[in-house]
Amino acid sequence: TLLIPKVRLNIKHMIDKLPEQQRKIIMMKDVEDYSYDEIAEATGMNGSTIRTTLSRARKAVRKMFNSVGLTKQ
């Protein structure tokens, strides 16, 4: 069905709305499947900062996703 590609496109648009640092981290971890160590090496950020940034990014995307009625809160 077209549902999955449409949902993926919506998520991509939501990720594009994130602040640059959050967008970069969520793309590296959740889309490109980088490890935390690989992200740290690429960005110069420590693991704690990466995890915090990723958590905030995921929360923001989830909030956008919920606001358009694609999932239940």
Side-chain angles (χ1 to χ4, degrees), residues 2-46:
L2 293 176
L3 178 61
I4 297 301
K6 187 174 183 178
V7 170
R8 285 184 180 164
L9 184 60
N10 283 333
I11 292 171
K12 173 69 172 105
H13 289 301
M14 292 171 192
I15 290 172
D16 288 344
K17 293 179 182 179
L18 295 173
E20 182 178 354
Q21 187 176 20
Q22 289 182 6
R23 184 174 58 248
K24 184 177 184 177
I25 298 301
I26 201 169
M27 289 296 294
M28 292 176 83
K29 183 65 179 157
D30 292 346
V31 176
E32 299 169 11
D33 202 29
Y34 280 49
S35 70
Y36 287 105
D37 289 338
E38 290 169 324
I39 296 170
E41 186 176 321
T43 64
M45 297 167 67
N46 67 45

Side-chain angles (χ1 to χ4, degrees), residues 33-72:
D33 202 29
Y34 280 49
S35 70
Y36 287 105
D37 289 338
E38 290 169 324
I39 296 170
E41 186 176 321
T43 64
M45 297 167 67
N46 67 45
S48 177
T49 302
I50 292 166
R51 284 175 179 79
T52 299
T53 302
L54 182 60
S55 175
R56 289 177 181 160
R58 287 174 174 163
K59 183 177 181 178
V61 170
R62 192 168 32 254
K63 184 176 180 180
M64 285 184 263
F65 205 76
N66 289 339
S67 73
V68 296
L70 294 173
T71 64
K72 294 181 182 177

